[in-house]
Amino acid sequence: MQLQVMNSPFNQEQTELLNRLLPTLTETQSLWLSGYLAAIQSSSLQAAPAVEERPAPAAVRAIPKEVTILFGSQTGNAQNLAKKAGKTLEDRGFQVTVSAMSDFKPNNLKKVKNLLIVVSTHGEGDPPDNALTFHEFVHGKRAPKLEDFRYSVLALGDSSYEFFCQTGKDFDKRLEELGGTRITPRVDCDLDFEEPAAEWAEAVLAGLSEGESSSPSPAAASVSASAPAESAYSRSNPFRAEILENLNLNGRGSNKETRHLEISLEGSGLTYQPGDSLGVYPENDPELVDLLLAEMSWDPEEAVRVKEETVTLKEALTAHFEITVLTKPLVEKAAKLSGNEELQQLVSDSNQLKSYMDGRDLIDLVRDYKPWNSSAQEFISILRKMPARLYSISSSFEANPDEVHLTIGAVRYDAHGRERKGVCSILCAERLQPGDTLPVFIQHNENFKLPENPDTPIIMVGPGTGIAPFRSFMQQREESGADGKSWLFFGDQHFVTDFLYQTEWQKWLKDGVLSKLDVAFSRDGDEKVYVQHRMQENSKELFQWLQEGAAVYICGDEKNMAHDVHNTLIDIIEKEGGISRDQASEYLADMQKNKRYQRDVY
């Protein structure tokens, strides 16, 4: 387990020193160190008997406080951070309740005295699915006045989007309007969220502990000691995983290229469940890096500092920093660094800046607003750390021990006179070979999971690469012998070239692992047919499955497909249930609340 400020009593400098030392110790050295520390503790206790006999002043006696932590999470990041914050507070003697917003009864808000909100922003400034009901309640007329109420918000987002951390900002503002007092100011996190999140947790702890002992209670200490062991590898310490297989799933003549990757997790201790994602840290295209170096007239071998490490400039631009996306914070920092009046005028006009950033990258920026008189070190200091890419896992760990499979669509397009490429997808499509390695970690997602009861029917809607988690679902159900019915709606452009994992689906259908399969290939007929059209054609049977308790899963494009499928489900419930549209919407909302309607959309 990697030490962090959040999960240990050490400060940032101490955790960094320990994280460098501990992995290098042999088993003998580790045992010796454990005994040495125990001996020190024992001798210090024996040397000071007078201190033990002195009664502790009442002022420093631990007084447990109740803290509620609510998370709104789409991919699992906010949920994981909420759990870490809860663990930190429990270890310091607080009584903590950690809950998804969807599992929290809104009317209980007025009973809460200390509330922590950890929430991501989804789509165009929208709350994640499991935060919708609570968000609506807090911003509605039924929200109570909050007296003697303290709170703090940790907001997650992506600064390349216009409504950066908007959901967190909404909660923060509204809780203040209702009468709440901040424990510590809201913290807005970009994709590199671990360090600011840890600092927020420490600030919250300090705010909650004012005037009280921060020592853990005996109960809290015993819980901490019995916590299960975890893999040493994580988002902040990824595992270098070997590529076992890299295949193109599309047939000759397809307009698409979809890569199937099989990756070894042997020796990592990493495990996953169907519905989880794999995080991948990619490298930038060498051609793009060379272009940037030439444009800025920089020496590729120049030594630069990246945090505590000294690397060449080329390595820094290849592996450490994002250079293919422009964000508002980046352009604002660049304007200050350059002093270019034209660039400063651009950042002063939000609409003009938004239009400029669309489809452009760092190469465009340095070309359009040169000369740049800053040093390479100064320039890279304004760049955003290379963010991990999350991909829905398309395999079952039980069916493929020590392996993880991914299904990745290659992204290529033209914009502003240049060909653009997806950083990670094109790395996989063009440069990654069996035997190569990738830095990876597991992103657990409790918001996209198979039903606990294996007899529950499931309906899966996953066009294109949205098929990935459903392959994992089927492998898992086949492995466990689950008896529940299953129905897949899959779509793509052409049957002959784009039916991903066709033979596997047909085998599962033949063997009864998959009960029903409906496909939609949009370019094979005179009219385009999509998955929602197939759902409408089967509306009566689909509604019958819902009435039988089926769980519905959607994976894929949020902006178009997921929106259309959502509305189609409401149409079907309204028509087949003989109820009003508002009642149909409420029916689907209840399914979502009861985890019978789950989405993994992007």
Side-chain angles (χ1 to χ4, degrees), residues 317-560:
L317 293 173
T318 299
H320 292 275
F321 296 109
E322 180 178 64
I323 64 174
T324 58
V325 175
L326 293 182
T327 67
K328 185 178 179 180
L330 169 61
V331 181
E332 288 174 340
K333 291 175 185 176
K336 291 179 182 178
L337 188 66
S338 72
N340 185 304
E341 292 185 7
E342 189 178 350
L343 183 53
Q344 291 175 353
Q345 184 178 354
L346 174 69
V347 300
S348 67
D349 186 327
S350 296
N351 291 331
Q352 188 180 0
L353 177 59
K354 180 182 177 183
S355 176
Y356 176 79
M357 292 190 301
D358 185 26
R360 287 186 170 91
D361 62 13
L362 195 59
I363 299 288
D364 298 306
L365 183 68
V366 300
R367 281 179 173 174
D368 293 342
Y369 296 99
K370 56 187 180 182
W372 298 83
N373 298 319
S374 56
S375 68
Q377 183 69 63
E378 290 172 327
F379 194 90
I380 67 169
S381 70
I382 70 172
L383 300 181
R384 186 165 71 165
K385 179 183 174 182
M386 175 72 80
R389 272 58 173 179
L390 292 179
Y391 294 102
S392 301
I393 292 173
S394 55
S395 58
S396 159
F397 189 81
E398 281 71 15
N400 304 273
D402 284 333
E403 284 187 20
V404 61
H405 300 174
L406 298 181
T407 309
I408 301 176
V411 176
R412 300 181 180 91
Y413 61 97
D414 290 320
H416 306 290
R418 277 177 47 214
E419 182 185 12
R420 315 285 168 152
K421 299 178 178 181
V423 177
C424 194
S425 68
I426 300 305
L427 165 65
C428 295
E430 297 182 357
R431 307 194 304 277
L432 202 62
Q433 302 296 327
D436 292 341
T437 61
L438 276 179
V440 304
F441 61 92
I442 298 296
Q443 177 75 40
H444 298 293
N445 185 4
E446 298 303 321
N447 305 310
F448 201 76
K449 283 287 173 282
L450 279 165
E452 291 184 8
N453 183 351
D455 294 334
T456 302
I458 60 173
I459 299 170
M460 304 166 287
V461 184
T465 55
I467 198 73
F470 304 134
R471 181 176 184 263
S472 174
F473 280 15
M474 288 296 97
Q475 286 189 357
Q476 182 74 13
R477 282 202 153 191
E478 181 178 38
E479 194 73 14
S480 65
D483 292 327
K485 296 188 297 182
S486 56
W487 189 351
L488 173 70
F489 290 91
F490 172 75
D492 216 313
Q493 291 187 353
H494 300 284
F495 172 83
V496 174
T497 59
D498 304 321
F499 194 165
L500 306 182
Y501 303 112
Q502 178 184 356
T503 56
E504 293 183 22
W505 290 110
Q506 290 177 333
K507 182 178 184 300
W508 281 322
L509 191 62
K510 178 183 177 182
D511 294 345
V513 179
L514 180 67
S515 309
K516 191 172 174 63
L517 173 65
D518 281 281
V519 294
F521 294 99
S522 59
R523 309 295 172 85
D524 282 347
D526 295 333
E527 295 184 6
K528 291 184 179 179
V529 178
Y530 298 108
V531 286
Q532 63 267 26
H533 299 131
R534 296 297 184 225
M535 293 170 67
Q536 288 170 335
E537 292 169 2
N538 291 273
S539 64
K540 188 170 185 177
E541 185 176 1
L542 196 151
F543 182 70
Q544 183 180 339
W545 279 48
L546 297 184
Q547 291 291 83
E548 293 171 0
V552 178
Y553 299 88
I554 300 174
C555 183
D557 166 57
E558 183 203 25
K559 193 171 184 180
N560 297 307

Side-chain angles (χ1 to χ4, degrees), residues 195-257:
E195 190 171 322
E199 292 172 355
W200 172 80
E202 287 297 317
V204 165
L205 180 60
L208 289 171
S209 301
E210 288 179 2
E212 299 190 11
S213 169
S214 61
S215 300
S217 66
S222 65
V223 170
S224 176
S226 62
E230 297 179 3
S231 170
Y233 299 101
S234 63
R235 174 185 286 268
S236 58
N237 182 35
F239 174 67
R240 295 291 314 194
E242 182 181 353
I243 306 302
L244 302 174
E245 197 74 69
N246 187 350
L247 305 170
N248 182 7
L249 293 175
N250 297 97
R252 184 176 299 175
S254 175
N255 296 322
K256 296 185 173 185
E257 181 180 358

Side-chain angles (χ1 to χ4, degrees), residues 24-269:
T24 67
L25 298 180
T26 65
E27 184 177 358
T28 301
Q29 290 171 329
S30 297
L31 290 172
W32 185 92
L33 184 59
S34 298
Y36 176 73
L37 293 174
I40 289 177
Q41 185 178 17
S42 176
S43 62
S44 65
L45 290 173
Q46 293 174 7
V51 175
E52 289 186 4
E53 294 172 3
R54 189 177 302 157
V60 297
R61 193 181 300 273
I63 304 174
K65 271 189 174 181
E66 294 184 356
V67 180
T68 298
I69 305 178
L70 299 181
F71 61 84
S73 183
Q74 196 73 34
T75 63
N77 286 330
Q79 180 172 0
N80 293 336
L81 290 174
K83 289 182 176 179
K84 286 181 181 178
K87 178 67 166 54
T88 298
L89 291 172
E90 283 182 348
D91 288 348
R92 304 296 177 92
F94 290 91
Q95 297 176 358
V96 184
T97 300
V98 181
S99 171
M101 292 181 182
S102 58
D103 294 334
F104 180 76
K105 293 182 179 179
N107 289 334
N108 286 340
L109 181 61
K110 58 188 175 184
K111 302 177 185 177
V112 174
K113 297 302 179 185
N114 295 302
L115 176 67
L116 304 181
I117 295 279
V118 185
V119 66
S120 60
T121 293
H122 197 55
E124 298 300 317
D126 301 320
D129 288 350
N130 66 353
L132 287 169
T133 302
F134 185 68
H135 185 272
E136 182 180 347
F137 173 82
V138 168
H139 288 82
K141 294 180 179 179
R142 296 176 59 200
K145 290 296 180 183
L146 301 174
E147 300 176 358
D148 191 24
F149 174 88
R150 304 176 73 201
Y151 74 96
S152 187
V153 176
L154 180 68
L156 305 186
D158 182 343
S159 61
S160 65
Y161 286 84
E162 180 179 3
F163 300 102
F164 174 57
C165 288
Q166 189 62 48
T167 303
K169 294 174 182 177
D170 291 345
F171 273 121
D172 187 49
K173 180 181 177 182
R174 181 57 174 161
L175 291 174
E176 181 183 39
E177 291 173 349
L178 294 173
T181 301
R182 291 180 182 85
I183 300 168
T184 190
R186 184 190 77 245
V187 171
D188 296 338
C189 300
D190 205 349
L191 298 179
D192 185 16
F193 54 75
E194 288 200 326
E195 190 171 322
E199 292 172 355
W200 172 80
E202 287 297 317
V204 165
L205 180 60
L208 289 171
S209 301
E210 288 179 2
E212 299 190 11
S213 169
S214 61
S215 300
S217 66
S222 65
V223 170
S224 176
S226 62
E230 297 179 3
S231 170
Y233 299 101
S234 63
R235 174 185 286 268
S236 58
N237 182 35
F239 174 67
R240 295 291 314 194
E242 182 181 353
I243 306 302
L244 302 174
E245 197 74 69
N246 187 350
L247 305 170
N248 182 7
L249 293 175
N250 297 97
R252 184 176 299 175
S254 175
N255 296 322
K256 296 185 173 185
E257 181 180 358
T258 308
R259 309 303 300 193
H260 170 78
L261 268 66
E262 297 183 3
I263 302 171
S264 173
L265 296 178
E266 187 174 358
S268 68

Side-chain angles (χ1 to χ4, degrees), residues 283-301 312-319 323 362-363 366-367 418 431:
E283 292 188 350
N284 287 310
D285 188 334
E287 292 183 7
L288 199 62
V289 172
D290 290 342
L291 196 60
L292 180 59
L293 289 167
E295 194 68 40
M296 299 295 280
S297 299
W298 282 334
D299 177 5
E301 299 305 312
T312 66
L313 178 57
K314 184 168 185 176
E315 182 181 347
L317 293 173
T318 299
I323 64 174
L362 195 59
I363 299 288
V366 300
R367 281 179 173 174
R418 277 177 47 214
R431 307 194 304 277

